[in-house]
Amino acid sequence: MLAIVIGLIGYVGLYVVRVSRGVTKDADVRPQVVRLQVLNGGGIVGLADRMGRQLNGTADEQMEIQVVDVDDIDGRRVKRTFVISRVEKPDAAKALATRLGLDPSEVIYEPLENNIRQVTATLVLGDDYGSMRMPAKQQEK
């Protein structure tokens, strides 16, 4: 009888400790979605479209890239590729820059007027676009 009481007290004590510290569960953590606009500032015809297709759907545990717009910058050549945050908190744009091998400290913030596509970030491709690190496409499960 004494052994049963001691076992019961031990079980209750263990339960109290687990509840007071919180129970850890594996959560289904969804990756952050970056809605990306790709602009061609490198002067190569079709560059934004080609890079947009390569980037669209790339994902890992932390980030998924959805390309929502591609376009050319008319009349200007951009030397260095960079990222513009289109939302006030630049965390997603900085994470994108890091993932692409760009300097996250060079991410600038410039909101879009009438952002109907809900663009999170804009990737401006420059003459050095070939030095970007391209993320892998998500594998089908």
Side-chain angles (χ1 to χ4, degrees):
M1 187 69 147
L2 184 59
I4 293 173
V5 171
I6 291 173
L8 185 58
I9 290 173
Y11 178 76
V12 170
L14 181 63
Y15 181 76
V16 168
V17 168
R18 286 185 67 195
V19 169
S20 67
R21 289 188 182 169
V23 178
T24 305
K25 291 183 179 179
D26 289 338
D28 182 23
V29 179
R30 296 192 183 272
Q32 179 178 28
V33 176
V34 175
R35 295 180 55 82
L36 184 64
Q37 175 185 47
V38 181
L39 298 179
N40 179 7
I44 298 171
V45 176
L47 178 62
D49 188 49
R50 185 170 36 120
M51 296 302 279
R53 282 193 313 269
Q54 282 183 304
L55 288 168
N56 191 38
T58 59
D60 60 18
E61 313 80 41
Q62 296 160 348
M63 178 182 291
E64 177 185 342
I65 300 172
Q66 294 177 355
V67 176
V68 295
D69 186 33
V70 294
D71 206 354
D72 292 328
I73 297 175
D74 294 328
R76 271 194 261 178
R77 277 297 283 267
V78 177
K79 291 188 186 286
R80 292 186 53 188
T81 300
F82 63 98
V83 176
I84 303 169
S85 177
R86 298 305 190 170
V87 294
E88 224 172 310
K89 290 180 95 177
D91 299 344
K94 287 183 177 190
L96 174 68
T98 300
R99 183 139 304 131
L100 297 176
L102 304 172
D103 186 353
S105 68
E106 293 181 2
V107 170
I108 60 173
Y109 167 61
E110 188 176 313
L112 282 174
E113 278 188 43
N114 303 319
N115 191 358
I116 58 173
R117 292 190 174 125
Q118 298 178 334
V119 174
T120 309
T122 299
L123 174 64
V124 181
L125 301 169
D127 291 335
D128 67 343
Y129 76 93
S131 65
M132 279 190 336
R133 186 174 50 229
M134 296 300 287
K137 288 273 188 184
Q138 185 174 14
Q139 298 294 319
E140 295 294 322
K141 293 181 181 182

